[in-house]
Amino acid sequence: MQRRQAVVSVLAVCLALAGCQGILDSGPEEIESTFDDGVEGWTVVGDAQSGSAAPTHNAEGGEAGGFVSADDDVAGGVWFWAAPDRYLGDRSAYEGGTLSFALTQSATDSGFDARDVVLVSESVELAYRFDSPPGTDWTTYEIPLSPDGWTNSETGDPATEEELQLALGDVEGLWIRGEYRTGSDTGGLDTVVLSGP
């Protein structure tokens, strides 16, 4: 009982003095993109935006403000949103956390199957697939940063914990699928958050 009171007292002093932040931290700092003020370094990879890597910034119409969008070039490929540098590098501290984001598409007919999220490193590439595509309203996804649901892009086998650690330890690319239908369409992205455990 005395030990518990002592711990509570120490925590109370720490909170009052704001001197023990390290004790109270539960993980790495969130990395977030809200797109309220611009594209925030995000680019487009694949057949969209008439060959330009730059998405369109929309000041209104997102989940709570701005968002980015891109138009499919209908050239037969699949285009993705590519995360900027602040999401890349050594992200091993985020293992056990989540990647969340919101997507929208202009139409939901003529859908097709493809990888929805791709995590690229020098030694391994992992892919994740959703249970269902986004709708014409904002659809929020939360992807676990644990092996569950991820596959090795080369072999198609379920990802191992070691492969996930390799991927997160040296992230060279983080891609989120932008198109979900055959034919012309527009995809939107908003509120991307990389959270630790």
Side-chain angles (χ1 to χ4, degrees):
M1 184 70 171
Q2 287 179 333
R3 179 177 163 81
R4 188 170 72 171
Q5 288 175 333
V7 169
V8 170
S9 297
V10 167
L11 287 175
V13 170
C14 284
L15 288 172
L17 299 177
C20 298
Q21 188 63 39
I23 292 173
L24 301 176
D25 284 346
S26 60
E29 185 175 321
E30 283 188 348
I31 302 172
E32 182 178 48
S33 299
T34 61
F35 306 110
D36 291 338
D37 299 316
V39 301
E40 299 186 27
W42 284 79
T43 56
V44 175
V45 174
D47 68 327
Q49 295 295 90
S50 301
S52 169
T56 301
H57 178 251
N58 304 270
E60 299 176 341
E63 282 195 308
F67 71 102
V68 290
S69 64
D71 297 323
D72 186 12
D73 290 342
V74 199
V78 179
W79 65 268
F80 291 84
W81 302 104
D85 287 347
R86 67 181 180 277
Y87 289 84
L88 310 182
D90 183 358
R91 295 296 168 219
S92 53
Y94 291 82
E95 183 178 358
T98 58
L99 171 68
S100 62
F101 49 87
L103 296 173
T104 186
Q105 58 176 329
S106 56
T108 58
D109 63 321
S110 303
F112 65 92
D113 193 30
R115 303 175 301 170
D116 295 308
V117 180
V118 181
L119 190 58
V120 181
S121 74
E122 184 176 341
S123 53
V124 67
E125 181 178 294
L126 303 180
Y128 191 96
R129 292 179 189 247
F130 305 148
D131 292 332
S132 59
T136 54
D137 292 325
W138 289 105
T139 305
T140 302
Y141 296 92
E142 186 170 274
I143 310 303
L145 297 178
S146 62
D148 298 336
W150 291 90
T151 58
N152 182 306
S153 292
E154 183 178 347
T155 66
D157 294 332
T160 65
E161 187 163 344
E162 180 182 9
E163 287 173 331
L164 182 69
Q165 289 169 351
L166 285 171
L168 288 175
D170 182 25
V171 180
E172 294 183 348
L174 172 59
W175 299 350
I176 299 171
R177 185 176 163 195
E179 67 168 311
Y180 291 84
R181 71 182 298 268
T182 301
S184 61
D185 63 333
T186 300
L189 174 70
D190 200 6
T191 320
V192 184
V193 182
L194 183 64
S195 301

